[in-house]
PDB file of all heavy atoms in Angstrom:
ATOM      1  N   PRO A   4      29.807 -12.816 -13.653  1.00 51.00           N
ATOM      2  CA  PRO A   4      29.551 -14.252 -13.704  1.00 51.00           C
ATOM      3  C   PRO A   4      28.631 -14.570 -14.884  1.00 51.00           C
ATOM      4  O   PRO A   4      27.720 -13.800 -15.190  1.00 51.00           O
ATOM      5  CB  PRO A   4      28.847 -14.549 -12.374  1.00 51.00           C
ATOM      6  CG  PRO A   4      28.891 -13.316 -11.564  1.00 51.00           C
ATOM      7  CD  PRO A   4      29.314 -12.194 -12.435  1.00 51.00           C
ATOM      8  N   ARG A  25      -8.508 -13.108 -32.771  1.00 98.00           N
ATOM      9  CA  ARG A  25      -9.692 -12.269 -32.573  1.00 98.00           C
ATOM     10  C   ARG A  25     -10.140 -12.198 -31.101  1.00 98.00           C
ATOM     11  O   ARG A  25     -10.276 -11.098 -30.557  1.00 98.00           O
ATOM     12  CB  ARG A  25     -10.834 -12.698 -33.480  1.00 98.00           C
ATOM     13  CG  ARG A  25     -11.998 -11.692 -33.427  1.00 98.00           C
ATOM     14  CD  ARG A  25     -13.281 -12.186 -34.063  1.00 98.00           C
ATOM     15  NE  ARG A  25     -13.288 -12.082 -35.513  1.00 98.00           N
ATOM     16  CZ  ARG A  25     -13.387 -13.134 -36.328  1.00 98.00           C
ATOM     17  NH1 ARG A  25     -13.458 -14.351 -35.820  1.00 98.00           N
ATOM     18  NH2 ARG A  25     -13.405 -12.956 -37.630  1.00 98.00           N
ATOM     19  N   PRO A  26     -10.332 -13.348 -30.457  1.00 98.00           N
ATOM     20  CA  PRO A  26     -10.772 -13.257 -29.048  1.00 98.00           C
ATOM     21  C   PRO A  26      -9.730 -12.611 -28.130  1.00 98.00           C
ATOM     22  O   PRO A  26     -10.091 -11.954 -27.146  1.00 98.00           O
ATOM     23  CB  PRO A  26     -11.031 -14.713 -28.653  1.00 98.00           C
ATOM     24  CG  PRO A  26     -10.324 -15.551 -29.667  1.00 98.00           C
ATOM     25  CD  PRO A  26     -10.273 -14.749 -30.925  1.00 98.00           C
ATOM     26  N   ARG A  35      -8.735  -2.471 -22.023  1.00 98.00           N
ATOM     27  CA  ARG A  35      -8.334  -1.076 -22.208  1.00 98.00           C
ATOM     28  C   ARG A  35      -9.513  -0.125 -22.008  1.00 98.00           C
ATOM     29  O   ARG A  35      -9.404   0.890 -21.322  1.00 98.00           O
ATOM     30  CB  ARG A  35      -7.715  -0.863 -23.598  1.00 98.00           C
ATOM     31  CG  ARG A  35      -7.488   0.587 -23.901  1.00 98.00           C
ATOM     32  CD  ARG A  35      -6.132   1.036 -24.270  1.00 98.00           C
ATOM     33  NE  ARG A  35      -4.998   0.186 -24.150  1.00 98.00           N
ATOM     34  CZ  ARG A  35      -3.956   0.246 -24.980  1.00 98.00           C
ATOM     35  NH1 ARG A  35      -3.972   1.087 -25.995  1.00 98.00           N
ATOM     36  NH2 ARG A  35      -2.912  -0.526 -24.782  1.00 98.00           N
ATOM     37  N   GLY A  48     -14.677  11.503  -9.392  1.00 98.00           N
ATOM     38  CA  GLY A  48     -14.882  11.246  -7.965  1.00 98.00           C
ATOM     39  C   GLY A  48     -15.817  10.080  -7.667  1.00 98.00           C
ATOM     40  O   GLY A  48     -16.256   9.894  -6.542  1.00 98.00           O
ATOM     41  N   ALA A  70      -3.566 -19.201 -21.772  1.00 98.00           N
ATOM     42  CA  ALA A  70      -2.856 -20.486 -21.760  1.00 98.00           C
ATOM     43  C   ALA A  70      -3.330 -21.393 -20.630  1.00 98.00           C
ATOM     44  O   ALA A  70      -2.850 -22.516 -20.484  1.00 98.00           O
ATOM     45  CB  ALA A  70      -1.348 -20.230 -21.650  1.00 98.00           C
ATOM     46  N   LEU A 108     -18.016  -7.035  -7.341  1.00 98.00           N
ATOM     47  CA  LEU A 108     -17.520  -8.409  -7.292  1.00 98.00           C
ATOM     48  C   LEU A 108     -17.338  -8.890  -5.855  1.00 98.00           C
ATOM     49  O   LEU A 108     -17.577 -10.045  -5.545  1.00 98.00           O
ATOM     50  CB  LEU A 108     -16.195  -8.479  -8.055  1.00 98.00           C
ATOM     51  CG  LEU A 108     -15.598  -9.862  -8.290  1.00 98.00           C
ATOM     52  CD1 LEU A 108     -16.529 -10.731  -9.123  1.00 98.00           C
ATOM     53  CD2 LEU A 108     -14.240  -9.729  -8.977  1.00 98.00           C
ATOM     54  N   SER A 122     -15.472 -18.477  -8.031  1.00 98.00           N
ATOM     55  CA  SER A 122     -16.058 -19.313  -9.087  1.00 98.00           C
ATOM     56  C   SER A 122     -15.194 -19.332 -10.345  1.00 98.00           C
ATOM     57  O   SER A 122     -15.320 -20.205 -11.183  1.00 98.00           O
ATOM     58  CB  SER A 122     -17.458 -18.814  -9.433  1.00 98.00           C
ATOM     59  OG  SER A 122     -17.363 -17.574 -10.123  1.00 98.00           O
ATOM     60  N   LYS A 147      -1.187 -30.023  -6.181  1.00 98.00           N
ATOM     61  CA  LYS A 147      -0.321 -31.199  -6.176  1.00 98.00           C
ATOM     62  C   LYS A 147      -0.794 -32.194  -5.105  1.00 98.00           C
ATOM     63  O   LYS A 147      -0.821 -33.404  -5.324  1.00 98.00           O
ATOM     64  CB  LYS A 147       1.113 -30.761  -5.897  1.00 98.00           C
ATOM     65  CG  LYS A 147       2.111 -31.889  -6.019  1.00 98.00           C
ATOM     66  CD  LYS A 147       3.537 -31.386  -5.917  1.00 98.00           C
ATOM     67  CE  LYS A 147       4.494 -32.544  -6.164  1.00 98.00           C
ATOM     68  NZ  LYS A 147       5.894 -32.123  -6.086  1.00 98.00           N
ATOM     69  N   PHE A 169       8.484 -12.736  -2.386  1.00 98.00           N
ATOM     70  CA  PHE A 169       8.842 -13.290  -3.698  1.00 98.00           C
ATOM     71  C   PHE A 169       9.952 -14.333  -3.545  1.00 98.00           C
ATOM     72  O   PHE A 169       9.842 -15.458  -4.027  1.00 98.00           O
ATOM     73  CB  PHE A 169       9.298 -12.164  -4.631  1.00 98.00           C
ATOM     74  CG  PHE A 169      10.004 -12.647  -5.876  1.00 98.00           C
ATOM     75  CD1 PHE A 169       9.274 -13.138  -6.948  1.00 98.00           C
ATOM     76  CD2 PHE A 169      11.389 -12.625  -5.954  1.00 98.00           C
ATOM     77  CE1 PHE A 169       9.927 -13.601  -8.091  1.00 98.00           C
ATOM     78  CE2 PHE A 169      12.044 -13.089  -7.090  1.00 98.00           C
ATOM     79  CZ  PHE A 169      11.314 -13.576  -8.159  1.00 98.00           C
ATOM     80  N   ALA A 174      11.331 -19.879  -3.913  1.00 98.00           N
ATOM     81  CA  ALA A 174      12.282 -20.875  -3.394  1.00 98.00           C
ATOM     82  C   ALA A 174      11.535 -22.144  -2.981  1.00 98.00           C
ATOM     83  O   ALA A 174      11.959 -23.264  -3.297  1.00 98.00           O
ATOM     84  CB  ALA A 174      13.054 -20.305  -2.206  1.00 98.00           C
ATOM     85  N   TYR A 192       9.286   0.110 -14.282  1.00 97.00           N
ATOM     86  CA  TYR A 192       9.254   1.084 -13.193  1.00 97.00           C
ATOM     87  C   TYR A 192       8.492   0.507 -12.009  1.00 97.00           C
ATOM     88  O   TYR A 192       7.399  -0.033 -12.175  1.00 97.00           O
ATOM     89  CB  TYR A 192       8.584   2.396 -13.619  1.00 97.00           C
ATOM     90  CG  TYR A 192       9.424   3.172 -14.589  1.00 97.00           C
ATOM     91  CD1 TYR A 192       9.350   2.898 -15.950  1.00 97.00           C
ATOM     92  CD2 TYR A 192      10.328   4.126 -14.147  1.00 97.00           C
ATOM     93  CE1 TYR A 192      10.149   3.573 -16.859  1.00 97.00           C
ATOM     94  CE2 TYR A 192      11.133   4.814 -15.041  1.00 97.00           C
ATOM     95  CZ  TYR A 192      11.041   4.531 -16.401  1.00 97.00           C
ATOM     96  OH  TYR A 192      11.833   5.208 -17.284  1.00 97.00           O
ATOM     97  N   VAL A 207      15.080 -10.347 -14.091  1.00 97.00           N
ATOM     98  CA  VAL A 207      14.426 -11.030 -12.977  1.00 97.00           C
ATOM     99  C   VAL A 207      14.418 -12.540 -13.184  1.00 97.00           C
ATOM    100  O   VAL A 207      14.540 -13.316 -12.234  1.00 97.00           O
ATOM    101  CB  VAL A 207      12.985 -10.493 -12.790  1.00 97.00           C
ATOM    102  CG1 VAL A 207      12.245 -11.265 -11.707  1.00 97.00           C
ATOM    103  CG2 VAL A 207      13.022  -9.003 -12.430  1.00 97.00           C
ATOM    104  N   ASP A 224       4.649  -7.545 -26.143  1.00 93.00           N
ATOM    105  CA  ASP A 224       3.812  -6.755 -27.051  1.00 93.00           C
ATOM    106  C   ASP A 224       2.911  -7.636 -27.904  1.00 93.00           C
ATOM    107  O   ASP A 224       1.864  -7.209 -28.360  1.00 93.00           O
ATOM    108  CB  ASP A 224       4.681  -5.922 -28.000  1.00 93.00           C
ATOM    109  CG  ASP A 224       5.642  -5.047 -27.244  1.00 93.00           C
ATOM    110  OD1 ASP A 224       5.317  -4.668 -26.105  1.00 93.00           O
ATOM    111  OD2 ASP A 224       6.714  -4.744 -27.785  1.00 93.00           O
ATOM    112  N   ASP A 225       3.373  -8.854 -28.143  1.00 95.00           N
ATOM    113  CA  ASP A 225       2.656  -9.761 -29.038  1.00 95.00           C
ATOM    114  C   ASP A 225       1.876 -10.763 -28.197  1.00 95.00           C
ATOM    115  O   ASP A 225       2.435 -11.678 -27.587  1.00 95.00           O
ATOM    116  CB  ASP A 225       3.689 -10.465 -29.935  1.00 95.00           C
ATOM    117  CG  ASP A 225       3.070 -11.544 -30.794  1.00 95.00           C
ATOM    118  OD1 ASP A 225       1.841 -11.748 -30.728  1.00 95.00           O
ATOM    119  OD2 ASP A 225       3.823 -12.199 -31.533  1.00 95.00           O
ATOM    120  N   ARG A 239       4.541 -27.477 -18.503  1.00 98.00           N
ATOM    121  CA  ARG A 239       5.582 -28.004 -17.613  1.00 98.00           C
ATOM    122  C   ARG A 239       5.000 -28.216 -16.210  1.00 98.00           C
ATOM    123  O   ARG A 239       5.226 -29.244 -15.581  1.00 98.00           O
ATOM    124  CB  ARG A 239       6.745 -27.014 -17.555  1.00 98.00           C
ATOM    125  CG  ARG A 239       7.926 -27.454 -16.702  1.00 98.00           C
ATOM    126  CD  ARG A 239       9.067 -26.459 -16.788  1.00 98.00           C
ATOM    127  NE  ARG A 239       9.581 -26.323 -18.133  1.00 98.00           N
ATOM    128  CZ  ARG A 239       9.575 -25.185 -18.846  1.00 98.00           C
ATOM    129  NH1 ARG A 239       9.083 -24.070 -18.315  1.00 98.00           N
ATOM    130  NH2 ARG A 239      10.039 -25.147 -20.069  1.00 98.00           N
ATOM    131  N   THR A 253       7.448  -5.303 -20.560  1.00 97.00           N
ATOM    132  CA  THR A 253       6.293  -4.546 -21.023  1.00 97.00           C
ATOM    133  C   THR A 253       6.423  -3.099 -20.549  1.00 97.00           C
ATOM    134  O   THR A 253       7.521  -2.675 -20.151  1.00 97.00           O
ATOM    135  CB  THR A 253       4.994  -5.241 -20.525  1.00 97.00           C
ATOM    136  OG1 THR A 253       3.851  -4.511 -20.940  1.00 97.00           O
ATOM    137  CG2 THR A 253       4.959  -5.364 -19.010  1.00 97.00           C
ATOM    138  N   GLY A 265       3.862  10.673 -13.178  1.00 93.00           N
ATOM    139  CA  GLY A 265       4.869   9.967 -13.967  1.00 93.00           C
ATOM    140  C   GLY A 265       5.983  10.854 -14.496  1.00 93.00           C
ATOM    141  O   GLY A 265       6.468  10.680 -15.612  1.00 93.00           O
ATOM    142  N   PRO A 281       0.429  -2.979 -27.862  1.00 97.00           N
ATOM    143  CA  PRO A 281      -0.008  -4.328 -28.220  1.00 97.00           C
ATOM    144  C   PRO A 281      -1.373  -4.371 -28.899  1.00 97.00           C
ATOM    145  O   PRO A 281      -1.652  -5.283 -29.669  1.00 97.00           O
ATOM    146  CB  PRO A 281      -0.049  -5.061 -26.872  1.00 97.00           C
ATOM    147  CG  PRO A 281      -0.060  -4.002 -25.828  1.00 97.00           C
ATOM    148  CD  PRO A 281       0.648  -2.830 -26.418  1.00 97.00           C
ATOM    149  N   SER A 285      -1.992  -5.861 -32.598  1.00 97.00           N
ATOM    150  CA  SER A 285      -2.890  -6.990 -32.820  1.00 97.00           C
ATOM    151  C   SER A 285      -3.960  -6.659 -33.855  1.00 97.00           C
ATOM    152  O   SER A 285      -4.348  -7.487 -34.667  1.00 97.00           O
ATOM    153  CB  SER A 285      -3.576  -7.391 -31.518  1.00 97.00           C
ATOM    154  OG  SER A 285      -2.643  -7.911 -30.636  1.00 97.00           O
ATOM    155  N   GLU A 311     -19.818   0.283 -21.782  1.00 98.00           N
ATOM    156  CA  GLU A 311     -20.845   1.287 -21.456  1.00 98.00           C
ATOM    157  C   GLU A 311     -21.916   0.682 -20.554  1.00 98.00           C
ATOM    158  O   GLU A 311     -22.379   1.303 -19.597  1.00 98.00           O
ATOM    159  CB  GLU A 311     -21.473   1.852 -22.737  1.00 98.00           C
ATOM    160  CG  GLU A 311     -20.604   2.928 -23.379  1.00 98.00           C
ATOM    161  CD  GLU A 311     -21.082   3.346 -24.770  1.00 98.00           C
ATOM    162  OE1 GLU A 311     -22.148   2.857 -25.231  1.00 98.00           O
ATOM    163  OE2 GLU A 311     -20.375   4.152 -25.398  1.00 98.00           O
ATOM    164  N   SER A 320     -26.374   0.895  -9.667  1.00 98.00           N
ATOM    165  CA  SER A 320     -26.469  -0.123  -8.620  1.00 98.00           C
ATOM    166  C   SER A 320     -26.628   0.522  -7.249  1.00 98.00           C
ATOM    167  O   SER A 320     -26.187   1.651  -7.029  1.00 98.00           O
ATOM    168  CB  SER A 320     -25.197  -0.980  -8.615  1.00 98.00           C
ATOM    169  OG  SER A 320     -25.209  -1.894  -9.678  1.00 98.00           O
TER     170      SER A 320
END
Side-chain angles (χ1 to χ4, degrees):
Chain A
R25 189 192 280 118
R35 171 124 350 147
L108 188 61
S122 71
K147 186 172 185 180
F169 166 79
Y192 290 85
V207 175
D224 304 332
D225 173 1
R239 182 176 298 119
T253 179
S285 293
E311 279 170 4
S320 284

